[in-house]
Amino acid sequence: MQFIDLKTQQAAIRADIDKRIAAVLGHGQYILGPEVTEMEQVLERYVGTKHGVAMASGTDALLVALMALGIGPGDEVITSAFTFVASGEVIVLTGATPVFADVEPNTANIDPASIEAKITSRTKAIMPVSLYGQVPDMDAINAIAARHNLPVIEDAAQSFGATYKGRRSCGLSTIGCTSFFPSKPLGCYGDGGAFFTDDDDLAQAAREIRVHGQSERYIHTRIGIGGRMDSIQCAVILAKWPRFEWEVGQRERIGRRYSEEILQKVPGAVALTKGSNLAELDAPVAVLEIGPSTSSVYAQYTVLLKDRAAVQEYFAAAGIPTAVHYPMPLGSQPAYSKWAPDADTPVADAFAAGVMSLPMSADLTEDDQDRVIDCLRRALGS
């Protein structure tokens, strides 16, 4: 069994992939070719923003967002303590200081109350992360930002295709950034990403920054990076696009079925809620909550375990792959601990100690899913 099944997806669309890549090879515009513009237009219409700007990676999209906002030394940017390192990395790369907020005990997404408690006179932006495919409470986050006159950058690397109160991830704040890393819900066959906004000036800045700060050929009006997404990678996204809505539906169905079956078939399993105290949680396994106004694309299907090491060992012996997203809060990482000497993120700490992700993809069969669930039940001694 594969942790993420990309082979079945590729087999289903191989002819379209070959056709799209052949077109790029034919015209030879490997950088900023017509596929880049076409993909940007397709995705900005889907998200519902005025602008979509293709980037070389999701990390570059976040970095460009901070650069476009003028974030730099002396500034602070608040982000989640429990996320992939890129969320903190890009803040440091601008010379700004990352400030790590704690997360909610039901979703593992950033806690708006923790954000507000960490705002200072040096705070210049808020970067919430849409973890595991679900958008955080963006109304609360945007309201906090509005009170303090701060921009919001949604790190939607894991949530492209998800919705929040009927609106799509990446179109919920000042700027939305996503990733097209191959394992993502919409992935290319290399690195890629995108930056979304309704702000004309920010979009123009992003387009210039991604080509080394050029406003026109060899005229550099900004400090920039080499942040362009290759035409071939955009061609892959375009080949995948007709299947994407079906895949989003499949991911939602499979993710919901995981939760329902685990709660029904694994003795002692519980569902996390806003009132959950993870420090005192004694359940062998807990499933995360999907909010009533949100949908998830389940970039990962992740559970919280009382004894992760033993369960992972059991899965490995059974030949079923698992992963840990993520084993250490950012403030505890060796390269980032100096920015969080007194980090107070107990919920993030608890998730880091116990989360485990199960095989997940749009093409996961019910037979394989049942095998995973049964393995979890047996691993927990039931």
Side-chain angles (χ1 to χ4, degrees):
M1 189 187 303
Q2 299 177 68
F3 185 69
I4 299 170
D5 183 4
L6 296 179
K7 292 182 178 179
T8 299
Q9 180 199 61
Q10 185 183 114
I13 58 173
R14 184 59 182 267
D16 290 336
I17 291 171
D18 289 348
K19 181 179 178 181
R20 282 283 188 175
I21 291 176
V24 177
L25 298 178
H27 62 59
Q29 297 178 57
Y30 304 121
I31 302 296
L32 296 180
E35 290 78 12
V36 178
T37 301
E38 182 182 355
M39 187 196 79
E40 289 175 339
Q41 292 173 346
V42 165
L43 298 187
E44 69 192 13
R45 285 195 299 268
Y46 178 78
V47 171
T49 54
K50 285 179 67 178
H51 304 284
V53 185
M55 294 287 169
S57 68
T59 304
D60 278 355
L62 292 172
L63 178 60
V64 168
L66 293 168
M67 294 173 71
L69 289 166
I71 304 293
D75 298 335
E76 294 178 350
V77 178
I78 299 172
T79 193
S80 175
F82 187 59
T83 178
F84 182 60
V85 71
S87 307
E89 178 179 61
V90 292
I91 298 168
V92 175
L93 287 172
T94 67
T97 298
V99 177
F100 302 118
D102 208 358
V103 297
E104 296 179 322
N106 56 326
T107 65
N109 270 328
I110 195 166
D111 186 342
S114 185
I115 292 173
E116 187 131 44
K118 293 180 181 291
I119 291 175
T120 72
S121 60
R122 296 181 297 278
T123 305
K124 293 297 183 288
I126 301 169
M127 185 188 292
V129 180
S130 297
L131 197 70
Y132 300 150
Q134 179 181 199
V135 177
D137 187 350
M138 292 303 293
D139 279 359
I141 294 167
N142 287 333
I144 291 167
R147 285 197 295 274
H148 296 274
N149 194 30
L150 297 170
V152 176
I153 305 166
E154 184 196 352
D155 179 347
Q158 299 180 24
S159 62
F160 192 82
T163 60
Y164 174 83
K165 296 187 177 180
R167 298 168 60 200
R168 296 195 189 278
S169 179
C170 290
L172 303 169
S173 57
T174 315
I175 299 170
C177 298
T178 198
S179 168
F180 302 131
F181 188 78
S183 63
K184 295 296 190 284
L186 181 62
C188 54
Y189 291 158
D191 272 317
F195 167 115
F196 297 90
T197 188
D198 285 324
D199 187 296
D200 295 342
D201 291 337
L202 290 175
Q204 182 64 25
R207 292 187 188 281
E208 293 176 4
I209 292 168
R210 74 172 175 181
V211 287
H212 303 284
Q214 288 189 143
S215 56
E216 54 185 295
R217 188 168 177 81
Y218 298 134
I219 304 299
H220 303 269
T221 53
R222 307 174 188 270
I223 303 300
I225 63 172
R228 299 161 297 200
M229 186 173 173
D230 297 342
S231 301
I232 283 180
Q233 299 304 336
C234 292
V236 172
I237 294 293
L238 289 168
K240 288 188 172 189
W241 186 247
R243 196 179 193 253
F244 182 62
E245 275 294 270
W246 175 84
E247 291 197 6
V248 168
Q250 284 291 99
R251 285 178 169 274
E252 287 188 90
R253 182 188 65 79
I254 293 166
R256 286 195 302 269
R257 186 172 186 269
Y258 257 137
S259 295
E260 291 166 359
E261 294 288 294
I262 289 171
L263 290 171
Q264 289 176 11
K265 296 182 177 179
V266 179
V270 300
L272 296 172
T273 68
K274 276 187 174 290
S276 295
N277 184 336
L278 301 191
E280 298 179 358
L281 191 68
D282 195 39
V285 59
V287 301
L288 277 66
E289 183 177 43
I290 303 299
S293 300
T294 61
S295 68
S296 178
V297 287
Y298 292 97
Q300 293 88 25
Y301 184 86
T302 303
V303 295
L304 181 65
L305 296 165
K306 184 177 179 181
D307 187 354
R308 179 173 66 202
V311 174
Q312 278 201 293
E313 184 178 348
Y314 193 94
F315 268 74
I320 298 176
T322 61
V324 176
H325 303 99
Y326 299 94
M328 190 180 294
L330 289 192
S332 299
Q333 291 283 355
Y336 293 84
S337 59
K338 67 180 179 180
W339 288 288
D342 55 352
D344 181 23
T345 56
V347 182
D349 293 344
F351 275 120
V355 290
M356 187 182 82
S357 299
L358 304 175
M360 179 68 195
S361 60
D363 293 293
L364 183 70
T365 66
E366 284 198 3
D367 284 347
D368 278 346
Q369 189 178 28
D370 288 341
R371 181 182 163 202
V372 173
I373 295 164
D374 186 61
C375 187
L376 180 62
R377 181 184 60 77
R378 287 184 284 107
L380 296 173
S382 55

